[in-house]
Amino acid sequence: CLNMMTKDKPIINFNWKFGDDESETLTLDEKEVPEGFADSEFDLFIVPDGKDPVIHLTKGNGIALSDNNIKITCTRDRLANTKWKTASWALKITNTSNWRDTLCGGKITRYSYYPAERVEE
């Protein structure tokens, strides 16, 4: 279980492959699931280290809730034509009273299927 509601925000790092759909599931400690969790809005921002655009996932569009689980899915079409190798990410929650907080965040490292970078002629 991941205790995500403490003062110290968890740092979670992901490793993703270039060209794949990527999914991660975060689990909140059942005792610390905030009231109105299912009715809250969720925003996940992926900010590449470079010039590629920010990727924004929302509930129903990349974020799904089930009990105390938050499933994040970033499909390959959202990552198409991007070249970033590392990015920062943050998951934010806004409840029905407009209270907003960052639940957690970290880094994403993308790697190739190939052991060395490809050289185009």
Side-chain angles (χ1 to χ4, degrees):
C1 286
L2 174 63
N3 180 346
M4 295 173 53
M5 302 308 293
T6 62
K7 288 182 182 180
D8 297 320
K9 307 299 183 214
I11 303 293
I12 304 165
N13 298 319
F14 301 134
N15 291 309
W16 291 357
K17 293 178 187 170
F18 274 97
D20 279 357
D21 288 350
E22 294 293 346
S23 291
E24 307 287 350
T25 301
L26 306 174
T27 302
L28 288 106
D29 185 324
E30 288 182 19
K31 297 176 285 189
E32 298 196 20
V33 173
E35 195 169 317
F37 174 73
D39 296 325
S40 297
E41 293 300 319
F42 290 84
D43 294 284
L44 186 131
F45 297 95
I46 299 171
V47 182
D49 298 338
K51 295 181 181 181
D52 287 310
V54 172
I55 299 167
H56 180 205
L57 305 177
T58 59
K59 191 163 66 171
N61 189 13
I63 298 175
L65 305 178
S66 174
D67 299 322
N68 57 327
N69 296 312
I70 303 169
K71 183 175 182 182
I72 300 162
T73 303
C74 191
T75 57
R76 67 178 151 234
D77 62 313
R78 288 185 168 262
L79 299 169
N81 302 316
T82 63
K83 299 188 183 321
W84 60 268
K85 292 183 181 181
T86 59
S88 298
W89 71 273
L91 177 64
K92 299 182 180 289
I93 182 173
T94 305
N95 71 11
T96 54
S97 301
N98 282 327
W99 169 82
R100 186 171 174 87
D101 196 15
T102 301
L103 293 178
C104 56
K107 285 291 231 182
I108 300 170
T109 302
R110 290 171 73 195
Y111 61 95
S112 174
Y113 290 106
Y114 306 101
E117 292 202 23
R118 296 175 71 175
V119 176
E120 300 293 331
E121 292 184 28

